[in-house]
């Protein structure tokens, strides 16, 4: 069992739909990252959060430390949101990220 | 303000050869981490450098080695390349506490 697990692995949506990607982790963490990776490789950090909720534009990230669960929401999805979304845990015992396998999101026009 | 810069962007090597990948961290960052991402998988941690020393290491063989220079830039070296080393190699820089974790665009290595 991976230390960081995401669901779903693949997600297809129509433009305008509300999207949720889930992340569960089994290790103690000091923070959790949500990352976006477009085809070609470049990774962009969307959020780093250790409690509560953060919002940036149409993106919202929440975390529940007690339940070891985080969600990434995209409101009014758009085809340009199509990418791989990865959650990554920043452990309490070290200073490296442990990554989930990623969620491939495709938003159709 | 430049972010994390990696070079080269693409590289093709023959099995058995050696390769060196380079990373310049974001201004103000002193810690560099390297990751390997095979096609369709999440990144896997290779190692991390801080103060010119390897501080942490993932589950990678000794063929994978690195270096950090006084200006905080870093190199990843892979010896005796295998076909299975074909992957996207990502460099990330941060402060020592992980603040501002920033990824480079990666180097796509193909071993033939």
């Amino acid at each position: 069992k991976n230390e960081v697990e995401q669901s779903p692995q693949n997600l297809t949506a129509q433009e305008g739909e509300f999207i949720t990607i889930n992340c569960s982790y089994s290790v103690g963490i000091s923070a959790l990252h949500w990352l976006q990776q477009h085809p070609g490789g470049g990774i962009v950090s969307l959020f780093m959060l250790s409690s509560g909720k953060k919002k940036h534009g149409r993106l919202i990230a929440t975390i529940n430390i007690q339940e070891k669960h985080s969600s990434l929401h995209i409101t009014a999805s758009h085809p340009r949101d199509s990418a791989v979304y990865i959650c990554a845990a920043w452990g309490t015992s070290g200073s490296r990220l442990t990554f989930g396998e990623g969620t491939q999101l495709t938003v159709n026009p | 303000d430049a972010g994390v810069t990696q070079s080269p962007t693409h590289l093709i090597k023959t099995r058995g050869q050696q390769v060196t990948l380079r990373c310049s961290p974001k201004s103000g960052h002193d810690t560099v981490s390297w990751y390997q991402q095979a096609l369709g998988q999440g990144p896997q941690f290779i190692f991390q450098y801080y103060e010119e020393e390897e501080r942490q290491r993932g589950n990678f063989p000794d063929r994978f080695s690195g270096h950090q220079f006084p200006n905080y830039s870093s190199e990843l070296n892979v010896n005796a390349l295998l076909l299975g080393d074909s992957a996207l190699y990502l460099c990330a820089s941060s402060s020592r506490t992980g603040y501002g974790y920033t990824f480079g665009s990666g180097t796509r290595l193909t071993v033939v």
Side-chain angles (χ1 to χ4, degrees):
Chain A
K1 191 178 192 299
N2 293 334
E3 292 179 325
V4 179
E5 292 198 330
Q6 288 184 235
S7 63
Q9 280 190 304
N10 293 282
L11 182 57
T12 301
Q14 288 301 120
E15 184 173 358
E17 287 185 358
F18 180 84
I19 288 163
T20 296
I21 300 171
N22 295 302
C23 176
S24 298
Y25 52 92
S26 58
V27 295
I29 69 166
S30 58
L32 187 121
H33 291 253
W34 280 101
L35 309 166
Q36 181 192 57
Q37 187 172 31
H38 280 284
I43 289 182
V44 174
S45 178
L46 300 174
F47 297 102
M48 183 174 83
L49 66 165
S50 55
S51 65
K53 175 181 174 178
K54 285 190 176 181
K55 184 176 189 293
H56 181 73
R58 295 181 294 105
L59 302 178
I60 303 167
T62 63
I63 189 168
N64 185 317
I65 297 295
Q66 288 73 30
E67 295 185 4
K68 295 187 174 180
H69 181 270
S70 177
S71 294
L72 175 69
H73 306 285
I74 305 175
T75 62
S77 59
H78 190 276
R80 64 174 175 266
D81 296 327
S82 298
V84 174
Y85 292 84
I86 305 170
C87 72
W90 186 266
T92 54
S93 60
S95 54
R96 69 185 198 188
L97 290 177
T98 301
F99 291 80
E101 293 295 318
T103 295
Q104 174 69 62
L105 171 65
T106 303
V107 181
N108 294 318
Chain B
D1 177 27
V4 177
T5 305
Q6 289 188 245
S7 64
T9 54
H10 295 84
L11 198 54
I12 299 175
K13 287 287 191 177
T14 303
R15 196 169 38 180
Q17 284 188 314
Q18 179 265 344
V19 68
T20 298
L21 310 181
R22 295 177 175 82
C23 173
S24 293
K26 184 176 179 179
S27 177
H29 287 176
D30 57 9
T31 300
V32 174
S33 302
W34 287 92
Y35 295 85
Q36 180 196 64
Q37 186 177 25
L39 198 62
Q41 297 183 20
Q44 299 293 318
F45 176 75
I46 303 175
F47 43 53
Q48 182 187 81
Y49 276 85
Y50 172 67
E51 290 185 338
E52 302 179 49
E53 289 190 18
E54 184 182 294
R55 299 293 179 170
Q56 291 193 63
R57 189 177 183 91
N59 188 26
F60 279 80
D62 292 343
R63 298 187 297 110
F64 289 77
S65 63
H67 189 77
Q68 186 179 36
F69 299 94
N71 67 353
Y72 308 121
S73 67
S74 177
E75 289 182 348
L76 163 66
N77 301 294
V78 187
N79 294 323
L81 284 167
L82 304 174
L83 297 179
D85 295 330
S86 296
L88 179 70
Y89 289 85
L90 293 161
C91 167
S93 72
S94 67
S95 68
R96 189 69 184 100
T97 59
Y99 180 77
Y101 216 84
T102 305
F103 285 88
S105 296
T107 294
R108 174 73 63 186
L109 172 65
T110 302
V111 182
V112 297

